């Protein structure tokens, strides 16, 4: 049971490390083109998703375009406007840079 808990903690730690890589540029959610209706900008200028824990599935942009919101790992091989800011993409190209923050 203890080893299960340790493994769960390990997974949680890895997920937090993964989440921490994001620089909240909002580009993958259309911030520089046609934003998702759930994309919000915080007072510090960084973006966040207003439904983050329930984000996956069909969503709609401000212009009314329907699209599927998926885990970022599923779209890293594709391109989107402003993806040069994406720290996950940079991390794939230059894994020695853990983050550009
Ligand atoms: S629902 Fe998906 S695409 Fe829309 S803001 Fe949230 S994470 Fe981004
Ligand atoms: S493009 Fe990459 S770094 Fe920017 S918000 Fe999306 S996942 Fe985060």
């Amino acid at each position: 049971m203890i080893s299960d808990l340790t493994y769960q903690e390990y997974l949680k730690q890895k997920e937090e490390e993964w989440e921490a890589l994001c620089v909240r540029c909002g580009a993958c959610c259309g911030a520089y083109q046609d934003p998702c209706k759930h994309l919000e900008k915080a007072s510090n200028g960084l973006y966040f998703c207003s439904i983050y824990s329930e984000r996956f599935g069909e969503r709609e942009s401000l212009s009314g375009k329907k699209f599927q919101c998926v885990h970022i790992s599923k779209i890293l091989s594709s391109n989107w406007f402003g993806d040069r800011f994406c720290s996950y993409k940079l991390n794939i190209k230059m894994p020695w840079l853990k983050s550009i923050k």
Side-chain angles (χ1 to χ4, degrees), residues 29 36 38-39 49 51 55 59 67 69:
C29 303
C36 172
H38 299 290
L39 186 63
C49 173
I51 56 162
R55 65 197 184 280
R59 301 296 169 211
F67 64 94
C69 177

Side-chain angles (χ1 to χ4, degrees), residues 32 38-49:
Y32 306 105
H38 299 290
L39 186 63
E40 306 276 350
K41 194 172 193 177
S43 56
N44 61 5
L46 301 180
Y47 289 89
F48 67 96
C49 173

Side-chain angles (χ1 to χ4, degrees), residues 8-91:
Q8 291 302 321
E9 287 172 350
Y10 172 79
L11 290 179
K12 188 169 184 292
Q13 181 189 330
K14 286 295 160 192
E15 186 179 344
E16 286 172 359
E17 286 175 12
W18 170 266
E19 293 283 333
L21 280 178
C22 180
V23 294
R24 316 290 181 217
C25 68
C28 61
C29 303
Y32 306 105
Q33 207 164 32
D34 183 16
C36 172
K37 287 182 173 176
H38 299 290
L39 186 63
E40 306 276 350
K41 194 172 193 177
S43 56
N44 61 5
L46 301 180
Y47 289 89
F48 67 96
C49 173
S50 62
I51 56 162
Y52 193 70
S53 62
E54 301 166 9
R55 65 197 184 280
F56 300 136
E58 186 174 279
R59 301 296 169 211
E60 192 175 309
S61 70
L62 288 181
S63 73
K65 184 181 166 194
K66 301 258 196 280
F67 64 94
Q68 291 293 318
C69 177
V70 297
H71 193 272
I72 186 68
S73 62
K74 294 188 175 170
I75 61 169
L76 288 179
S77 60
S78 63
N79 297 300
W80 60 88
F81 195 82
D83 64 359
R84 68 185 182 281
F85 299 120
C86 182
S87 48
Y88 294 105
K89 283 203 163 206
L90 290 172
N91 197 244

